[in-house]
Each structure stands twice: as structure tokens, then as C-alpha cells.
Amino acid sequence: MVTPELRSSWSRTEQYLLQAKALVTPTPATTGALDEVAEFLEHNELGIAGDWLRSIVEETNWESVEILKLLALAEASMGRSAKQQVLDQRLTQLLGHTHETKLPTA
């Protein structure tokens, strides 16, 4: 049974992923992959969408603090702490100070 809390979590995660996706500049090399991300999101395959989007970002926007923060929030929202920590480490490198992603409280 899908609880209201789970639906809220899915919605929050989807919004983080959609915001991150919107910040990726489409290029001939990324357009197909971004279409795949959209398809995964449409089918509520949030983890797969996150993995694909992160792969695109690693190849094209690995310096984008804003995108990385959104991806880290999505990972935190999905409870994928190992993946979140890798993104936090990258953010720490880019920002020059320790970064730890925390989900906003309601």
C-alpha cells in the first residue's frame, strides 16, 4: 500500500530530479539520454532516472554546484546515502569547504 508519506517522498525526489535535468544544457550528445531520463521519471523509476542523470552530469556538468546539490538531495530523498556521500564529496571539492546534504524539514 502506498502511504501519503511515500507519495510525498516520491514527489519530492521527482522535483529534485526534474530541476537538475532542467539545468543540463541539451547537446547532440546528451539529448537522447535526457529523453531516457524523462521516460524513467514518467514511469516513476526515480532511482534509474537519477543514475542516468548523474551519468550525464559527470560527463558534461561535473562542475555545476547547483546540479550536484539537486542530485544529492534526490539521492538523500531516496535514502541512497552512499551515492549522496559521493556527490557531497564532489561538492566539498568544488566549494572548498565541507558540504553535507540535508533534506529540508517540513
Side-chain angles (χ1 to χ4, degrees):
M1 182 171 160
V2 178
T3 65
E5 293 82 17
L6 187 54
R7 280 196 193 280
S8 176
S9 174
W10 288 345
S11 178
R12 179 183 61 217
T13 301
E14 180 181 34
Q15 289 308 307
Y16 292 140
L17 293 171
L18 286 169
Q19 289 173 33
K21 179 181 173 286
L23 294 174
V24 175
T25 304
T27 66
T30 62
T31 299
L34 289 169
D35 290 344
E36 288 291 325
V37 170
E39 185 76 20
F40 291 129
L41 288 170
E42 185 176 314
H43 294 284
N44 203 35
E45 295 288 346
L46 303 177
I48 298 171
D51 291 343
W52 272 71
L53 190 53
R54 179 178 167 183
S55 177
I56 295 166
V57 169
E58 284 177 352
E59 293 178 20
T60 60
N61 295 97
W62 198 227
E63 304 295 316
S64 173
V65 169
E66 191 171 358
I67 295 172
L68 294 174
K69 282 182 177 181
L70 288 164
L71 290 176
L73 284 165
E75 295 297 355
S77 183
M78 289 186 279
R80 299 188 335 170
S81 60
K83 292 183 180 212
Q84 173 208 324
Q85 289 171 0
V86 170
L87 290 164
D88 283 349
Q89 288 171 356
R90 180 65 182 147
L91 285 161
T92 294
Q93 291 172 341
L94 291 172
L95 295 169
H97 60 81
T98 302
H99 178 83
E100 184 180 348
T101 298
K102 297 200 185 295
L103 289 173
T105 55

